Amino acid sequence: MAARPRLRFAPSPTGYLHVGGARTVLFNWLVARRTGGEMLLRIEDTDVERNRPELTDDILEQIQWLGLGWDGEPVHQSERLHLYAKAADQLLAAGRAYWCDCTPEQVQQRAAERGGPPGYDGHCRDRGLERGPGTALRFRVPDEGVTSFDDLVRGTVSFENAKLEDFVLLRSNGIPTFLLANVVDDADMGITHVVRGEEHVNGTPKYLLIADALGLDHRPVFAHLPVLVNEQRKKLSKRRDSVSVAEFRAAGYLPEAMVNYLALLGWGPPDGVEIRPLDEIVELFRLEDVNPSPAFFDTRKLQHFNAEYIRKLDADEFVARARPFFTHAETEAVVRPLAELVRDRVRLLSEVEPMVDFLLSDDITYDEASWRKHVAKHGERSAAMLDAAVQRLEACEWRADAIEAALLAAAEDAGFVNPEGRPQMSKAQGPVRVAVTGRGVGPPLYESLVVLGRGRTLDRLRAARAAL
Ligand code: GLU
C-alpha cells in the first residue's frame, strides 16, 4: 500500500505571510485533504538573524485565520542544527564537499576578470583546506552530466551540471544554508510532495545532487507553482503592491473569500465555476492541472469574491464578522436594524461603519460633489423638496412604508414629477439623502430614516434648507 502523502509548508521567517505563501499553503493543504495525507509546517529559521518568534508569529496566525491548519507541531530548523552538521560531515568525508576561504569580493573579482556569468569558480576545490575562521563548506558539483526532475506543473526540467556553481552548504559562521537543511528535513520528515513557489526551480537540481551525495533514497514529487504578478505583469512586490495576508484581513476580507480566490491563482476548476465551497475545491483540485504561466493577482476580482461571500452571510453572522471593524460603541446598534441592507452594499467589512456614520454623529458635512449633483442642480425644487419633506415627515408614522409615502407626497408637492405627473423618487430623494447623510449614496433611505429617528431627521432637513 502506498504511504500516506505528506506535504509541508516551509516558510522562512519573513515577518508576514505573503499572498504567494498563502497560495502555497493552500495548494499543499488541498492535496493533503483530498488524499487523506498530512500537511506539516516547517519553519526554515537556520539563519540566526531570522530566528526570532515575531518573524514567524504572523505567518502562523494568518494560516490559522485562513482556516488552513497543519498537522502536528511546527518543526523549527533552528532546533535541528545537529542533523545538518552531521550531513555536512558526511559529505565532507565522502569528498563531495570541501572548505573554501574565498571572500565574496574575491569570488566577484575573479568572475569579473574571467568575464561571462558571475559565480564561484571552484577555486578551493583541490586546495585541501581545513575548517577555520572564515571558511565555508561548498558542495562539489559534478563537472558533467545533467540533473533532471519531473515537475507536476512544468513537466521534465533539466539542468546541465557544468552550469551549476559549487554552492555553499555551511556558511563561515557554521550555519547551514537552507539548501542543505531543506533536503535533510524533507527526507527525515518523510515528505512525499514538495509544493512550493517557482523561485525554487533553480535550487531543485542542487537539492537532488545533495540528496544523491547523501545516499538518500528519498525522492519527493515536485510541483513548482507559478509566480504571482500584478496588473502590469510584474512580480508582486512588497513596495508596489498589497502582498501580506494581514493587510487584506485588516481591510475587511473574509478568509473564505480569500481562500476561494487563492485557489484560482494558477488553477481553475474543470467546469469553470469559480466561486464555490472549499470542499468542492478539495474534490476537484489536482496539481497536474496547475498552469505554469504567471498568475495575475487581481485585487478587483478578489473584492468581487468578497462582496459575494459577504452577501451570503445571514444578518447575525454579518454583524458578528463586521464587529471587529467597529470603532464606535453605538455602531452595532445602528447597523443591526439595517444589517441586510448594508450587507448587500459593501465589498469589505471595513466599509460597514463608514456606510452608517451618519447615524453615529450629528456632525454632517456635505460632500461637495454630492451637494452639487443632488441638491444645487435642482435649484428651487430642492428647497421645495426639503420644505415639503419637513412638513410631511412631521406628521407621518415613523415606519419605512409611511416614510416612503410621505416622501412620495413631498416629491409631488415640490414638483419632482415626470411628464405623466408621477413622482420621480430617484431625483427627489437626492436633496433628502444629502441633507441627512451628507452623501449621494448610502443604504436605502427610508429604512435609514427609521433608525435615525424623526427629531434628528427633521433637524438635518432644516439645516440643509438653511444652507441653500
Ligand atoms: N523556505 C523556503 C521559502 O520560504 C521554502 C523552501 C521550500 O518550500 O522548499 O521560500
Side-chain angles (χ1 to χ4, degrees), residues 8-14 24 28 42-44 77 178 182 186 194-197 199-200 207 222 224:
R8 88 297 195 275
F9 177 57
S12 304
T14 50
T24 302
N28 275 288
R42 183 171 77 224
I43 310 301
E44 306 221 306
Q77 289 190 327
F178 114 89
N182 194 264
D186 281 348
V194 170
V195 180
R196 58 185 180 180
E199 68 274 18
H200 293 292
Y207 180 113
F222 289 94
H224 288 98

Side-chain angles (χ1 to χ4, degrees), residues 191-192 207-213 215-222:
I191 298 303
T192 59
Y207 180 113
L208 294 167
L209 288 168
I210 296 173
D212 203 44
L216 300 172
D217 293 333
H218 183 79
R219 285 294 177 283
V221 172
F222 289 94

